[in-house]
Amino acid sequence: MTHIALYRAWRPQTFRDMVGQQHIRQTLQNAIREQRIAHAYLFNGPRGTGKTTAAKVFAKAVNCERGPAPEPCNECAACRGITSGTVMDVVEIDAASNRGIDEIREIRDNVRYAPSEVRYKVYIIDEVHMLTTEAFNALLKTLEEPPGHVIFILATTEPHKLPATIVSRCQRFDFRQVSLEEQIERLREITQEEGIEAEPEALDYIARLSDGGMRDAISLLEQAAAFGAEKITLEGAVDVTGGLAARQFAGIAVAVRDSDAAAVLPLVEGLMQAGKSPDKCLENLIYYFRDLLVLKLAPDSAQGMGRLADPGVFRDMAEGFSAERIFRMIDELNRYQNEMRHAAHPQTLFEVALLKICTLPESGAPAAGAQPEAERRGAAAPGASGHEVAALQQRIDQLERKLEQLQRSGGAAVAAAPAAAAPLRGAPARGGGGFGPRSGGSVRTVKLDPFVSASGSPDTAQLRAKWAEVLARVKDARVTVHAWLVDGEPVSWAGDTALIAFKNTIHRETTEKQANRELIERVLQESFGKPLQLATVMQKDWQQAASGPAAEGGGEPFELSHDDPGAPPARPEWVEEAYKMFGEDLVELKKE
């Protein structure tokens, strides 16, 4: 039996057959029983929950020769004709392919005529949100003044796309996802009636995979039955749907638990060789870690969870993870799942996602980039306890935040002015911080001609296209760093270095602080999938270099370096401080 035959054989023919929509069934039956039939209904809900089927059952109930009756008899000529689609007065329209104003005008012209075969003319418009604005306007006129012998039933999965004037003229019914228990029971009935042998775990897996849609569940059941030659096993259902078997889940989970990044890539390659899709693997992995989380936080709910087998198989695995780490892993996997929808290479993104969660630290452990600093601070107080070290760390973080606030308001610049020699504006800083003298008095020289040559490269275009994403990730990691970096503009990507041009000196210098630089470079690596260094330049210097001889392929390379530390600044120190505090756009020099 084909899927079409199986679905039709088990398609509800009465309100009693509808699965999971008891509230709708009761309301519609009471309306028919009390002769309070509305002229327009709106059925909305997820796909495969029975919206169109309920519309046809309702059309049979109001037109049944023994009715109108709360349940159609399915024996009279009217019921049989509506079921087979031969009654001309019950019209089903697919708005996805008939969405124009001409089709709606035809309906508007025909509703004035009385039904010829049954009691009511019923128009079922499926996916009604696909209609054009003009078609909605034409339909609105008909809904405002409908003839008494016409019933409109609008079905949609996206009711928010309907005009409010249409929704307000309909009785709205929200179809819900079918519960897991009801789906499993209906699948069991189907297999028994059709003589199909099925393992209970396989039915449970199919029901969970359908996401509350009974139609999808029947489709997957038929697919699994065809694969297993009339015998549905858990392994067969997993294979035919592209999911992961329990042992494959366990292998990935063990590699993640042990932070064994080297074991991840062979596992992914094996899955791809077996024909698994990266997006489905990632989706199932999220559910797997969700099961581990539920097992740790709500053990009593273990009977109602899990996509594969007895929850007891997860208990040993759950002991290897902290709840906080599982939370963070699910967050990371969900973020990569959203990105995978638009990825050109889903397998690569799947590998990166697994490598990412492999490197996540346990609860309370510092991130990889912060470990040397934490060890360095801990070494300063060898006799301190863990609690004292944590309190000291918290105090240091508070002081750093206060310093950043003072720098932003300009107070730090005023305090540092008497003691700090003004650095040359435009010189890229390395490890220097704030307004004080740079450590060692040396700054790496930046040759701008390679960046000028690469300003029109595909890498530069990619950097600019994803810069908003980089800023968002930096903001999620530390909002203070984002406040400084947002002043910068990506101008070039040459080799393994991204060049950012700043308008304001203080924003640039704060971005160049070592901790801030490390955070930004880590985000760049996550965004582009490879190590990427950060280089900064003042915007006026970049514009000068971009318009100079090097930009045209000739002349000497344009370099940014600072003068001899002992040489006097080109301008008075207080002028340099004014530029750093307020930015070049707000400072104007006038000679008295």
Side-chain angles (χ1 to χ4, degrees):
M1 180 180 293
T2 65
H3 161 60
I4 295 177
L6 180 62
Y7 178 68
R8 285 179 177 172
W10 286 92
R11 190 172 186 171
Q13 300 300 320
T14 66
F15 285 116
R16 270 192 312 272
D17 299 330
M18 292 173 58
V19 179
Q21 313 300 339
Q22 290 81 359
H23 62 298
I24 296 176
R25 176 182 66 191
Q26 180 179 347
T27 305
L28 294 177
Q29 285 182 324
N30 289 342
I32 296 173
R33 188 180 295 112
E34 298 174 8
Q35 297 295 312
R36 295 185 176 181
I37 301 172
H39 66 276
Y41 295 89
L42 175 61
F43 292 171
N44 71 271
R47 70 181 191 279
T49 51
K51 299 183 293 297
T52 307
T53 299
K56 288 190 173 181
V57 172
F58 184 76
K60 289 191 293 185
V62 298
N63 286 314
C64 182
E65 295 178 0
R66 303 177 186 178
E71 289 287 0
C73 67
N74 289 313
E75 296 176 356
C76 65
C79 288
R80 293 199 306 270
I82 294 173
T83 300
S84 61
T86 59
V87 175
M88 302 299 294
D89 294 320
V90 177
V91 182
E92 183 177 357
I93 302 172
D94 179 17
S97 54
N98 301 278
R99 59 193 304 262
I101 189 173
D102 293 336
E103 289 82 359
I104 303 301
R105 281 175 176 168
E106 183 179 353
I107 295 175
R108 188 182 61 187
D109 294 339
N110 292 334
V111 294
R112 69 183 69 175
Y113 303 112
S116 58
E117 299 178 69
V118 291
R119 191 176 294 111
Y120 290 95
K121 274 191 172 182
V122 181
Y123 289 92
I124 303 171
I125 306 179
D126 198 13
E127 300 297 336
V128 69
H129 64 273
M130 297 292 291
L131 291 179
T132 63
T133 303
E134 294 78 8
F136 274 125
N137 292 335
L139 179 63
L140 179 62
K141 183 63 177 177
T142 305
L143 292 180
E144 285 177 342
E145 302 173 359
H149 57 264
V150 176
I151 299 174
F152 284 94
I153 303 179
L154 314 180
T156 178
T157 56
E158 302 183 56
H160 58 278
K161 293 186 177 180
L162 271 64
T165 51
I166 296 290
V167 177
S168 64
R169 287 167 172 81
C170 303
Q171 286 191 12
R172 176 169 173 168
F173 291 85
D174 295 328
F175 283 69
R176 305 167 184 167
Q177 290 184 330
V178 183
S179 69
L180 183 65
E181 294 75 14
E182 290 174 312
Q183 280 189 309
I184 294 175
E185 182 60 31
R186 176 53 63 94
L187 293 179
R188 187 178 295 113
E189 291 177 8
I190 294 175
T191 54
Q192 291 175 354
E193 283 291 325
E194 299 295 332
I196 302 173
E197 184 180 354
E199 295 179 356
E201 295 84 0
L203 298 182
D204 180 87
Y205 173 79
I206 291 173
R208 292 182 184 276
L209 206 60
S210 65
D211 289 330
M214 197 66 237
R215 183 179 63 205
D216 291 349
I218 296 177
S219 175
L220 292 172
L221 179 71
E222 178 67 18
Q223 191 176 358
F227 177 81
E230 301 302 322
K231 181 177 181 181
I232 303 175
T233 63
L234 175 60
E235 292 296 326
V238 169
D239 287 340
V240 77
T241 57
L244 276 73
R247 50 185 168 75
Q248 293 169 317
F249 275 118
I252 293 176
V254 167
V256 172
R257 181 195 63 191
D258 299 339
S259 299
D260 187 3
V264 167
L265 297 181
L267 288 172
V268 174
E269 187 62 30
L271 294 174
M272 299 302 106
Q273 291 293 336
K276 309 299 182 182
S277 62
D279 57 337
K280 183 63 67 174
C281 291
L282 191 55
E283 176 187 352
N284 288 337
L285 196 61
I286 292 175
Y287 278 102
Y288 182 84
F289 285 118
R290 172 259 183 192
D291 292 343
L292 293 183
L293 186 62
V294 172
L295 192 61
K296 290 186 72 69
L297 301 182
D300 296 338
S301 303
Q303 296 300 325
M305 68 163 214
R307 284 200 163 207
L308 295 176
D310 185 356
V313 303
F314 298 111
R315 297 190 185 279
D316 292 339
M317 187 66 66
E319 294 298 324
F321 296 92
S322 66
E324 184 177 345
R325 186 183 180 192
I326 298 178
F327 274 122
R328 284 183 289 166
M329 288 193 299
I330 293 176
D331 287 341
E332 289 293 336
L333 293 176
N334 182 66
R335 181 168 62 84
Y336 280 102
Q337 185 183 32
N338 293 332
E339 294 180 2
M340 188 174 288
R341 296 170 185 169
H342 311 288
H345 303 286
Q347 178 181 344
T348 301
L349 203 60
F350 182 44
E351 293 170 345
V352 172
L354 293 181
L355 292 174
K356 175 68 175 178
I357 63 175
C358 274
T359 58
L360 286 177
E362 281 292 345
S363 174
Q371 186 66 26
E373 185 178 359
E375 292 177 353
R376 185 167 61 251
R377 290 174 177 173
S385 64
H387 176 73
E388 292 172 341
V389 172
L392 180 59
Q393 174 69 46
Q394 183 178 5
R395 179 61 177 163
I396 292 174
D397 292 340
Q398 291 176 353
L399 291 173
E400 287 181 347
R401 285 195 295 269
K402 289 181 179 179
L403 284 174
E404 290 178 352
Q405 292 173 359
L406 288 172
Q407 289 176 350
R408 189 179 305 176
S409 63
V414 176
L424 177 69
R425 292 185 306 105
R430 271 291 177 186
F435 301 91
R438 294 177 174 86
S439 57
S442 63
V443 177
R444 189 184 70 170
T445 298
V446 177
K447 292 186 177 182
L448 291 184
D449 52 317
F451 293 102
V452 172
S453 302
S455 60
S457 66
D459 285 342
T460 301
Q462 182 184 9
L463 176 65
R464 289 171 177 159
K466 300 190 70 172
W467 186 246
E469 176 188 336
V470 172
L471 290 176
R473 290 192 177 187
V474 171
K475 187 175 183 180
D476 292 340
R478 186 174 298 176
V479 69
T480 54
V481 179
H482 172 267
W484 305 110
L485 184 61
V486 75
D487 180 66
E489 176 188 358
V491 292
S492 183
W493 177 351
D496 61 347
T497 305
L499 183 65
I500 312 300
F502 285 84
K503 300 177 183 178
N504 192 295
T505 307
I506 185 175
H507 290 183
R508 177 191 173 202
E509 291 187 349
T510 308
T511 302
E512 284 280 3
K513 291 176 62 176
Q514 181 176 356
N516 298 343
R517 170 185 293 277
E518 290 176 353
L519 185 146
I520 296 170
E521 290 179 345
R522 185 166 68 250
V523 170
L524 289 172
Q525 180 174 354
E526 293 173 358
S527 299
F528 296 98
K530 57 183 177 181
L532 198 61
Q533 295 183 2
L534 174 70
T536 64
V537 65
M538 293 305 296
Q539 194 171 81
K540 67 180 185 63
D541 294 323
W542 168 253
Q543 292 172 353
Q544 179 182 352
S547 60
E552 302 174 1
E556 293 298 324
F558 189 95
E559 295 186 1
L560 281 182
S561 59
H562 68 81
D563 299 334
D564 181 8
R571 287 190 291 241
E573 183 177 336
W574 59 271
V575 175
E576 295 292 338
E577 295 298 337
Y579 273 113
K580 289 193 295 184
M581 287 177 60
F582 304 107
E584 297 187 10
D585 296 336
L586 300 179
V587 176
E588 180 180 358
L589 290 180
K590 292 184 178 181
K591 187 174 182 179
E592 294 294 338

